Amino acid sequence: MEPIDYTALAQFRHELRKFLAFSENAAAQAGLTGQQHQALLAIRGLSSGELSVGELAEILLLRHHSVVELVDRLGKLGLAVRVADPSDGRRALIRLSPLGEEKLQALSSAHLKELASIGPALTRMLQPFHAKA
């Protein structure tokens, strides 16, 4: 068994937590929770632009009923809308509204800038893990 590089693991987790704290703060400044931001990002980035509640629950690692409430809140904020699934009218799909797209674009720009600034440090930190793979 190879020795464990506790320093590399600790540094990596620290950088991840800093990024997540940045993300939570950026979402809050935009008037969103981190979970709402993550839902918008999942709908836009991990689908063709529409997801079912079940698919979104799977992506967010949440229970179905929790995502129903989350989508309800996004709807009340005017950030997402439910539409009927054209292939199964009993199923609703969630898509971003124009306001949701706008908020997500602003948040994503800020996140990409942050990632660009920490990218070199993350790359250096990941080298010990890559070498052992």
Side-chain angles (χ1 to χ4, degrees), residues 46-105:
L46 297 176
S47 73
S48 61
E50 299 174 335
L51 286 175
S52 70
V53 170
E55 292 166 333
L56 187 55
E58 187 177 312
I59 291 168
L60 297 178
L61 305 175
L62 295 171
R63 294 184 183 191
H64 187 274
H65 69 275
S66 298
V67 173
V68 168
E69 293 173 12
L70 176 60
V71 170
D72 286 344
R73 288 190 303 273
L74 290 172
K76 286 178 184 169
L77 292 170
L79 302 173
V81 295
R82 283 186 175 92
V83 296
D85 183 341
S87 63
D88 182 354
R90 299 167 295 171
R91 190 171 95 137
L93 299 174
I94 300 101
R95 78 167 55 135
L96 300 186
S97 69
L99 178 61
E101 289 274 357
E102 186 180 306
K103 280 219 186 231
L104 181 60
Q105 185 174 21

Side-chain angles (χ1 to χ4, degrees), residues 19-20 23 32-51 56 59-60 70 74 79-80 94-96 100-101 103-109 111-112 115:
F19 179 75
L20 290 174
S23 184
L32 302 174
T33 66
Q35 199 171 65
Q36 289 168 336
H37 171 226
Q38 188 62 35
L40 296 177
L41 188 57
I43 294 164
R44 182 65 172 86
L46 297 176
S47 73
S48 61
E50 299 174 335
L51 286 175
L56 187 55
I59 291 168
L60 297 178
L70 176 60
L74 290 172
L79 302 173
I94 300 101
R95 78 167 55 135
L96 300 186
E101 289 274 357
K103 280 219 186 231
L104 181 60
Q105 185 174 21
L107 278 167
S108 296
S109 292
H111 280 72
L112 289 172
L115 282 172

Side-chain angles (χ1 to χ4, degrees), residues 3-16 125 128-129:
I4 297 171
D5 190 343
Y6 293 109
T7 302
L9 285 170
Q11 288 173 334
F12 180 68
R13 287 199 50 121
H14 176 70
E15 289 302 320
L16 283 178
M125 259 182 263
F129 303 114

